[in-house]
Amino acid sequence: MKVFKFGGASLRDAANVKNVASILQTYSNESLIVVVSAMGKTTNALEAVINAHANQSGEANKLYEAFKASHYAIMQELFEESDPVFTDINDTLVEGEWVLEEAPNDNYDYMYDQLVCMGELVSSKIVSAYLNKIGLPTSWLDARDVVATDNMFREGWVIWDKTKANAQSVAAPMLEKTKFVITQGFIGSTSENFTTTLGREGSDYSAAIFSHCLDAESMTIWKDVPGVLNADPRIFDNTIKLDRLSYKEAIEMTYYGAQVIHPKTIKPLQNKNIPLFVKSFLDPKAPGTEISSDVDDLYPPIIVVEKNQALMHISTLDYSFVAEHHMARLFGMAADLRIFVNMMQNTAVSFTLCVPYVEERVEAFIERISDEFKVKVESGLELITIRHYTEETIASLKKNKIVLFEERIRNMLHMVVKNIPLIERKEVEIAGSKA
Ligand code: ADP
Ligand code: ASP
Ligand code: MG
């Protein structure tokens, strides 16, 4: 049994759904769990709906109708008018309307999950119905019957024992009936049957959960890139595709923000030695990248840029040394507020943390420690991580940047930088101004 995951980009319109189906056709002899995300940028659209509902801006229903219309438009290209899929999708979409009919819940994260799950539910129903239509018998599985989580809405943590038992009792028998089982990424369920989500971009993680629980032979995620590249192709021109990566390399890369794979994906696979393939849905025959057990590979410099970072300079009010009990308090507070610490450094009376800048969390942190510490925040920064760095790569990445914080640990370099404003740069040249 293998697990495939198709993300939003691979399902963004009817032509892309057909392309996914044609890829699956070539695997018709295999047993597959197929995990899908919401289509295109649907999750962003549903976030706008829930924000409008929370703020009572009056736009929520209109935005929800636009979400529905975009899916009906895709369905009209895939199915005859009389196809039962229209009734099924209608019934599913009504559940979202119920969320909007109620007054906004005080627990925003809870309300968010009850609505945002609609994206994955409808996309998986559409894909499943289409596969059945073209003669690929497929069962539809509600991922919430398998993925059990705690009550941490928007960041559900998996309850593994329960999830494993559900996978055996619910998903495994479905695979006996039809070779393909289609399900949703990103969503799970609490013990009271409320929907949870696993964090943005969490569908890769869902696929890894299914792979782990069902002892998959391999997992493949299908992307719009040829595989894992040594840098984000949206930022850098001359990227190189990596043919092979170790689990360790992949976990380090994704932890520091490489957006190609969700950071929680690697561990459940590594724990069972399940290889992960990253392949292109635009060129399905090409080999892509294989991520598997650690060998001594030689890597080119691998660059990860994480935007929207802040440095928090924390110092004691009374000039007492920053001691271990201070650090215990600061880290406990960061964990409670879900502030992820990317880098840290201390002097005698101060402590500096590099964290993703989520304003309300940072403000709450400052407020809660104000009895003992004063804090200066510098936001609008980038964290650049280079694994297997060379001096040449470092120099090229420092161009037009002011480095505020730098650290080298074995083969990894981190630097927190800000861009030098155009007005202070000496070498700025106006294109075409040289005769
Ligand atoms: P999905 O549709 O599966 O959710 P995403 O759009 O979230 O896919 O992720 C794929 C995108 O990640 C690529 O289009 C690419 O622009 C970006 N990306 C960032 N870093 C890398 C990297 N190191 N290698 C490959 N792609 C990367
Ligand atoms: N649809 C969700 C998101 O956009 C999950 C995913 O695509 O992985 O965050
Ligand atoms: Mg994505």
Side-chain angles (χ1 to χ4, degrees):
M1 194 276 296
K2 292 179 176 150
V3 174
F4 281 5
K5 180 256 169 174
F6 289 95
S10 66
L11 296 167
R12 67 176 185 276
D13 55 24
N16 274 282
V17 173
K18 289 182 183 171
N19 178 53
V20 166
S22 73
I23 293 174
L24 289 173
Q25 217 137 23
T26 63
Y27 291 89
S28 58
N29 291 326
E30 308 250 13
S31 266
L32 284 184
I33 295 257
V34 182
V35 174
V36 299
S37 304
M39 296 174 150
K41 301 276 178 220
T42 297
T43 305
N44 294 352
L46 288 169
E47 280 188 346
V49 176
I50 207 65
N51 288 341
H53 183 55
N55 305 330
Q56 292 286 282
S57 72
E59 298 278 290
N61 287 315
K62 197 178 90 192
L63 293 170
Y64 193 68
E65 286 306 315
F67 150 72
K68 283 165 62 177
S70 65
H71 285 75
Y72 283 127
I74 292 175
M75 285 158 69
Q76 266 146 14
E77 285 189 52
L78 298 174
F79 304 101
E80 313 283 312
E81 233 169 85
S82 58
D83 198 294
V85 69
F86 284 95
T87 322
D88 191 17
I89 295 290
N90 259 326
D91 294 346
T92 307
L93 289 170
V94 168
E95 290 177 32
E97 277 154 31
W98 293 340
V99 177
L100 301 179
E101 274 165 22
E102 280 181 30
N105 194 292
D106 286 344
N107 185 344
Y108 174 87
D109 292 350
Y110 159 81
M111 194 173 61
Y112 175 106
D113 285 355
Q114 310 320 302
L115 185 89
V116 168
C117 63
M118 287 296 142
E120 270 66 17
L121 290 171
V122 293
S123 78
S124 59
K125 288 194 171 191
I126 294 171
V127 176
S128 172
Y130 187 71
L131 295 176
N132 279 318
K133 182 188 149 180
I134 62 163
L136 288 171
T138 303
S139 308
W140 181 83
L141 166 66
D142 190 328
R144 296 170 299 182
D145 293 337
V146 174
V147 181
T149 73
D150 64 3
N151 290 341
M152 184 89 107
F153 295 101
R154 285 183 80 186
E155 194 80 49
W157 287 354
V158 173
I159 300 169
W160 284 96
D161 290 351
K162 223 164 147 188
T163 303
K164 278 181 205 164
N166 292 341
Q168 292 307 329
S169 63
V170 183
M174 281 189 173
L175 277 173
E176 304 278 310
K177 270 204 273 160
T178 53
K179 281 191 164 291
F180 289 2
V181 171
I182 188 143
T183 192
Q184 310 79 46
F186 188 45
I187 66 175
S189 166
T190 68
S191 55
E192 290 105 12
N193 285 331
F194 291 119
T195 305
T196 47
T197 59
L198 308 178
R200 285 300 308 264
E201 303 294 331
S203 296
D204 298 338
Y205 180 41
S206 300
I209 296 168
F210 280 100
S211 302
H212 180 98
C213 294
L214 292 165
D215 290 307
E217 183 187 322
S218 67
M219 167 172 150
T220 304
I221 50 185
W222 297 87
K223 298 267 170 186
D224 60 358
V225 276
V228 177
L229 308 170
N230 70 330
D232 187 338
R234 293 167 297 189
I235 308 177
F236 298 94
D237 288 333
N238 50 346
T239 53
I240 305 168
K241 192 208 56 150
L242 303 162
D243 296 336
R244 233 198 72 79
L245 269 175
S246 67
Y247 292 123
K248 180 166 180 291
E249 200 59 43
I251 211 161
E252 291 286 357
M253 247 181 113
T254 55
Y255 178 81
Y256 286 105
Q259 281 164 14
V260 63
I261 306 170
H262 188 279
K264 286 184 177 172
T265 311
I266 307 298
K267 179 180 182 287
L269 300 176
Q270 186 278 341
N271 289 177
K272 289 226 172 153
N273 213 12
I274 300 168
L276 168 63
F277 297 96
V278 180
K279 284 166 70 88
S280 166
F281 62 79
L282 302 167
D283 186 8
K285 292 221 168 70
T289 299
E290 176 180 343
I291 300 169
S292 50
S293 51
D294 302 355
V295 292
D296 287 332
D297 286 310
L298 270 181
Y299 294 103
I302 297 177
I303 302 159
V304 181
V305 181
E306 199 175 350
K307 295 199 169 127
N308 195 28
Q309 300 293 297
L311 284 180
M312 290 207 280
H313 304 285
I314 304 166
S315 45
T316 51
L317 289 175
D318 62 358
Y319 271 58
S320 57
F321 294 140
V322 174
E324 285 68 20
H325 70 275
H326 289 127
M327 296 189 199
R329 180 172 178 214
L330 294 171
F331 278 94
M333 193 68 72
D336 285 349
L337 291 166
R338 285 190 278 159
I339 294 178
F340 302 104
V341 177
N342 279 322
M343 274 174 84
M344 60 196 121
Q345 211 165 62
N346 72 304
T347 69
V349 293
S350 76
F351 198 73
T352 298
L353 302 179
C354 171
V355 300
Y357 186 61
V358 182
E359 193 179 351
E360 60 280 11
R361 294 185 194 172
V362 168
E363 291 303 322
F365 184 84
I366 296 172
E367 166 73 38
R368 289 196 201 176
I369 60 169
S370 59
D371 58 323
E372 246 185 319
F373 302 98
K374 64 171 189 280
V375 184
K376 203 174 131 245
V377 178
E378 263 181 291
S379 58
L381 309 176
E382 283 175 2
L383 170 64
I384 301 180
T385 301
I386 318 171
R387 294 186 55 75
H388 316 285
Y389 57 82
T390 63
E391 293 308 321
E392 198 190 345
T393 329
I394 300 170
S396 73
L397 288 168
K398 282 185 176 171
K399 205 158 170 250
N400 294 328
K401 312 258 188 224
I402 300 168
V403 179
L404 300 172
F405 201 23
E406 183 173 324
E407 181 178 77
R408 296 183 192 211
I409 313 166
R410 300 186 56 223
N411 56 6
M412 174 147 66
L413 178 143
H414 296 298
M415 54 189 179
V416 179
V417 301
K418 76 174 173 197
N419 287 316
I420 298 178
L422 214 50
I423 201 159
E424 288 171 25
R425 289 187 205 164
K426 303 231 164 36
E427 80 282 23
V428 182
E429 201 180 89
I430 301 171
S433 68
K434 281 186 187 158

